[in-house]
Amino acid sequence: NLDLMHTGEMSVFPKISLKPEVTEYLRNVYLNKEVLAAVGPQEAESRFQKLLACLSHPPSSTCVRASTHLAPLEDIRLSLEKELEKQQKCGSSAEEPSVQIAPHPRITDVLLLPVDGPRVVEQLSSELVVGAQCGSAVLRGAHVFAPGIISSPKYMKAGDMVSVFSDLEGRCTRGATSFQGNKVFVGNGVAEMDRSSIFATETPARGVGVRMVDPLYKSPSFDGVLPSMVFLQNLPSVVVGHVLAPQPGERILDMCAAPGGKTCHIAALMRDKGEVVALDRIRNKIDRIRQNAQMLSLQSIKAFCFNSTQAVSDEPAQEAEGPPFPPESFDRVLLDAPCSGLGQRPIMASTWSLKEICSYPLLQRKLFQAAVRLLKKGGVLVYSTCTVTLSENEEQVAWALNTFPCLSLQPQEPHIGSEGMLGAGLSPEQLRLLQRFSPELSWEQTDMTVPLTCRADTDTIGFFIAKFLKT
């Protein structure tokens, strides 16, 4: 049982659980020759171990992107404060300090909220088990929704207090009354439903199954809170939109757009003037993009269900409303590529094989080739991933610069992450133009003395951004 180890006042999760071959692969990335020559084996190993440790914990702040195309940031901040105070009054009897909401000092549409944790929480004898994805959402402030519940006490009734555990390896049988496998404690909550209705076979239960009242990491739940005014988004994902720097009147392509957070951000930054074409291969994800656009009152978004590797038409050029498009159809292209996702936080465990993780670079290159062809001369291409490998990040940049002489790296604004990682043979100048969010470089669980706005820039998910100009 990978339960919590109590060290003084700190509750510490185990490091992320990966397949041994994946751990070894990542170690070789972080201890590559260029890194070893620059920082030495001890520092390189320390960074790698910190990476494994921080991936299983959530970032120390919650980032919210505000719909500043609909209202001024300060108005949104005050409305959010009121909403969260209401939520606090309903949820708890104890007098708690009100949630502090700070504007980001450099990003004009971001609000930051501190995450309180890991807290010391007493485990109860009544145990409820949720899936790993649901467990991760709880660590970021969510309540437990009924579909995420895998096991619950035999006679659980609405109103019962339960301790919530996350099943790390997906081994718990649905409907079980107890589970002794690899699990980790994420906090205590109150059951909102009886066991019988959660596991009813005729109609699957919907809605909140357990309301978290004493989570290990305390941050507000944004379920149904000002849906048209605030959008939960990781800070690096918001930075991507600003780095792309879309201008009113332009035609922009978002190649792998679901669930549409970045698409909507691009449209908002253009003040909804121009056209944002969003492509994704999965039909119901396209519906989600359209719903988000509608909720945020954005008219400039056109979403299509389409495989972006085939988005370039070889037919004689004519203005295409939908894909495929003639070459050089777009002023800017965002390729937020499908990736191994090894920068996402919190992830307690990944069951992915090395083969699966190594399958992404080929797909990313096919998408990249389409992106370059679809981009006008003088246009901007931004490539991003939420992973930490070299093969999907810096090595893709080196490949792109070798393959497409028309591309050159550009400075990024804002640049709040660290520079690119050594190991792909890029020059110091090229590495400085890249932006890699490396939580392991700054991650110290206990350091709450650093101001929230500084912590927020470094204690993020792992993420990578490269910006190119086509000449």
Side-chain angles (χ1 to χ4, degrees):
N1 179 359
L2 287 183
D3 252 336
L4 291 179
M5 300 166 283
H6 286 282
T7 50
E9 285 301 292
M10 290 293 292
S11 313
V12 183
F13 289 144
K15 288 175 179 169
I16 184 174
S17 159
L18 301 167
K19 291 204 163 170
E21 75 219 48
V22 175
T23 304
E24 198 44 40
Y25 169 75
L26 270 185
R27 171 178 269 114
N28 290 334
V29 169
Y30 275 74
L31 278 75
N32 72 65
K33 279 183 194 150
E34 284 187 53
V35 168
L36 290 175
V39 303
Q42 209 175 343
E43 173 60 16
E45 180 66 37
S46 160
R47 286 180 188 181
F48 174 61
Q49 293 303 333
K50 272 188 181 172
L51 174 80
L52 297 182
C54 77
L55 286 177
S56 64
H57 292 72
S60 59
S61 61
T62 297
C63 172
V64 173
R65 177 164 61 73
S67 299
T68 50
H69 65 293
L70 299 178
L73 184 71
E74 183 56 13
D75 292 5
I76 296 173
R77 191 186 73 78
L78 292 170
S79 303
L80 184 57
E81 220 164 57
K82 275 187 197 137
E83 281 298 311
L84 295 181
E85 270 168 24
K86 259 192 266 175
Q87 188 188 99
Q88 233 172 20
K89 279 178 189 144
C90 299
S92 151
S93 51
E95 259 318 299
E96 290 184 43
S98 62
V99 179
Q100 296 302 302
I101 305 175
H104 190 283
R106 286 179 59 190
I107 306 171
T108 52
D109 51 4
V110 162
L111 296 169
L112 299 166
L113 295 85
V115 171
D116 172 19
R119 302 157 70 244
V120 176
V121 180
E122 281 301 309
Q123 291 179 26
L124 311 170
S125 55
S126 238
E127 292 188 4
L128 177 135
V129 178
V130 300
Q133 211 175 352
C134 179
S136 296
V138 168
L139 290 176
R140 296 204 77 171
H143 295 298
V144 174
F145 283 79
I149 300 172
I150 307 170
S151 147
S152 82
K154 196 169 183 179
Y155 302 109
M156 186 181 80
K157 292 272 178 279
D160 289 357
M161 282 289 290
V162 288
S163 276
V164 179
F165 287 80
S166 177
D167 170 16
L168 290 184
E169 294 169 358
R171 300 249 172 118
C172 182
T173 312
R174 185 170 166 76
T177 53
S178 68
F179 175 61
Q180 298 313 315
N182 254 357
K183 60 188 177 184
V184 70
F185 175 61
V186 295
N188 296 331
V190 179
E192 296 277 300
M193 300 176 179
D194 299 351
R195 175 186 163 89
S196 54
S197 53
I198 290 170
F199 296 115
T201 42
E202 318 78 62
T203 49
R206 290 262 164 264
V208 174
V210 176
R211 192 163 297 283
M212 297 303 294
V213 290
D214 207 2
L216 215 58
Y217 279 87
K218 204 175 187 69
S219 51
S221 162
F222 279 81
D223 184 38
V225 173
L226 302 178
S228 65
M229 285 297 161
V230 295
F231 194 91
L232 271 182
Q233 202 167 8
N234 288 304
L235 185 68
S237 301
V238 184
V239 170
V240 166
H242 288 281
V243 167
L244 185 68
Q247 302 302 310
E250 290 183 331
R251 191 178 195 211
I252 306 215
L253 175 64
D254 186 354
M255 291 183 82
C256 307
K262 295 182 187 75
T263 313
C264 291
H265 190 205
I266 291 166
L269 288 171
M270 292 163 71
R271 301 199 287 281
D272 208 24
K273 296 185 172 87
E275 187 184 346
V276 185
V277 174
L279 304 182
D280 204 273
R281 291 171 59 173
I282 299 166
R283 168 78 53 202
N284 61 1
K285 289 188 172 180
I286 289 297
D287 296 337
R288 177 98 182 272
I289 295 171
R290 289 178 181 144
Q291 284 161 7
N292 280 335
Q294 198 174 1
M295 189 168 61
L296 298 170
S297 308
L298 295 165
Q299 314 295 317
S300 57
I301 294 169
K302 291 181 178 153
F304 301 95
C305 183
F306 202 80
N307 179 348
S308 281
T309 60
Q310 293 155 13
V312 192
S313 158
D314 289 318
E315 298 300 307
Q318 47 193 343
E319 266 307 297
E321 166 75 4
F325 302 100
E328 304 193 356
S329 287
F330 295 93
D331 298 291
R332 294 172 203 259
V333 175
L334 172 61
L335 172 50
D336 183 49
C339 69
S340 57
L342 290 171
Q344 288 291 4
R345 296 173 59 194
I347 336 173
M348 296 284 180
S350 167
T351 53
W352 282 26
S353 67
L354 185 57
K355 189 180 173 186
E356 285 171 297
I357 282 164
C358 294
S359 67
Y360 283 97
L362 188 62
L363 169 63
Q364 290 159 351
R365 289 183 184 190
K366 284 181 182 166
L367 289 162
F368 207 104
Q369 282 164 324
V372 175
R373 289 187 64 196
L374 287 165
L375 187 62
K376 292 176 182 174
K377 288 187 177 68
V380 166
L381 165 60
V382 170
Y383 172 80
S384 62
T385 72
C386 57
T387 196
V388 297
T389 66
L390 273 173
S391 62
E392 298 171 82
N393 295 333
E394 289 83 357
E395 283 178 16
Q396 295 294 45
V397 170
W399 165 82
L401 294 172
N402 283 331
T403 310
F404 306 103
C406 61
L407 292 183
S408 58
L409 280 175
Q410 296 298 297
Q412 300 184 32
E413 182 50 44
H415 196 300
I416 58 179
S418 49
E419 55 187 47
M421 186 177 180
L422 292 160
L426 295 167
S427 71
E429 293 72 27
Q430 289 169 325
L431 290 174
R432 276 196 287 276
L433 291 170
L434 303 175
Q435 185 160 202
R436 184 187 257 260
F437 288 83
S438 308
E440 75 282 354
L441 292 183
S442 66
W443 190 71
E444 289 301 342
Q445 277 176 288
T446 48
D447 197 1
M448 289 303 169
T449 54
V450 180
L452 171 67
T453 48
C454 300
R455 277 206 317 273
D457 286 353
T458 52
D459 189 10
T460 62
I461 63 168
F463 203 88
F464 178 83
I465 311 173
K467 180 177 185 175
F468 300 89
L469 180 71
K470 178 178 175 180
T471 48

